[in-house]
Amino acid sequence: MTAHPSGPRRGMPEAERRDYLLAVAHDVFVQEGYAAANMDEVARAAGMSKKTLYQLFASKAALFEAVVTHHLAKLHAEVDDAGLSLEEALVRRLLAPAMLLLSTPQMGLFRLVSAEGGRYPEVAEAFHRAGPGNCESGLERFLSEQAAAGRLRLDSAKEATDMLFGMAIGVIHIKLLLRLRETPPAEQIEAQIRRAVAIFLNGCATGA
């Protein structure tokens, strides 16, 4: 298991204490799997009592969702694309989530969900609700707005969102999920996103 300090520092602010606990819990879930992980182990690894842990999170499912929400929170950050071309706005809206979703900690969560989501639907639901589902919804809203403004021709913003995400990170993500490659450098991810955006706009942009 990834090494952590023996426990939260005395007097640690509540927000830092929570971040520390969720980092420890992330490692326990990823390394042990959802089924095998238990609250006793998380409490022990975090250097706190099980009673304290249960005061913060009523169940393992609640703790797991908190871990996912914490680790994927950056997916929901506001994107400042004022003054950017449509192409650059799309690149910016894809690059930040791609860098997060393809990172090592997040791939650990993806593998856990892929392995155990069938037996534990709450695992897959929590992951999608806290992360990729909301991320795609943000892009979908943006594409809908651009279509309404006459800059894009779209039959379905949802379908376009799925296709754009697939072109941008789909192949890389699958290979990482299967451990067939290492996380590519940022410039390679950006180059792939730019190619995907160019193809997308070539088929959907109106030129308006």
Side-chain angles (χ1 to χ4, degrees):
M1 181 176 297
T2 302
H4 286 280
S6 59
R9 301 187 309 275
R10 180 174 298 178
M12 178 184 287
E14 188 63 31
E16 289 185 24
R17 181 183 179 88
R18 181 182 173 84
D19 288 349
Y20 169 83
L21 171 59
L22 294 177
V24 172
H26 170 276
D27 289 346
V28 173
F29 280 123
V30 168
Q31 294 176 36
E32 301 295 330
Y34 183 80
N38 60 71
M39 299 289 269
D40 284 343
E41 184 174 3
V42 173
R44 185 167 56 251
M48 64 176 57
S49 69
K50 187 169 68 171
K51 179 180 178 181
T52 299
L53 179 59
Y54 272 108
Q55 288 174 343
L56 296 171
F57 301 100
S59 66
K60 183 169 73 170
L63 176 59
F64 179 76
E65 182 154 4
V67 167
V68 173
T69 300
H70 174 74
H71 279 78
L72 298 180
K74 291 181 180 179
L75 286 177
H76 315 309
E78 291 295 323
V79 177
D80 181 9
D81 54 17
L84 296 181
S85 66
L86 179 55
E87 178 179 7
E88 288 302 321
L90 284 171
V91 169
R92 180 170 293 187
R93 286 175 175 274
L94 287 165
L95 184 58
M99 294 299 297
L100 181 63
L101 292 173
L102 298 176
S103 67
T104 298
Q106 310 325 320
M107 288 310 303
L109 289 174
F110 268 114
R111 293 186 186 108
L112 184 156
V113 172
S114 297
E116 304 195 57
R119 287 184 297 161
Y120 301 96
E122 67 271 21
V123 170
E125 290 166 2
F127 185 79
H128 191 72
R129 183 167 55 247
N134 279 336
C135 176
E136 292 176 4
S137 296
L139 180 59
E140 182 181 342
R141 286 192 297 272
F142 177 75
L143 294 181
S144 294
E145 292 167 359
Q146 300 308 306
R151 289 187 281 273
L152 292 174
R153 293 183 299 270
L154 300 176
D155 293 329
S156 166
K158 175 66 170 67
E159 183 178 79
T161 299
D162 292 342
M163 293 176 67
L164 188 50
F165 257 104
M167 285 195 296
I169 67 171
V171 173
I172 298 173
H173 182 263
I174 289 173
K175 288 186 176 181
L176 285 172
L177 192 62
L178 298 175
R179 303 180 190 273
L180 296 178
R181 65 168 301 166
E182 299 294 323
T183 301
E187 56 269 22
Q188 185 175 334
I189 295 174
E190 181 175 351
Q192 174 66 25
I193 288 173
R194 288 189 176 279
R195 287 193 292 271
V197 168
I199 292 170
F200 175 77
L201 291 178
N202 186 52
C204 297
T206 64

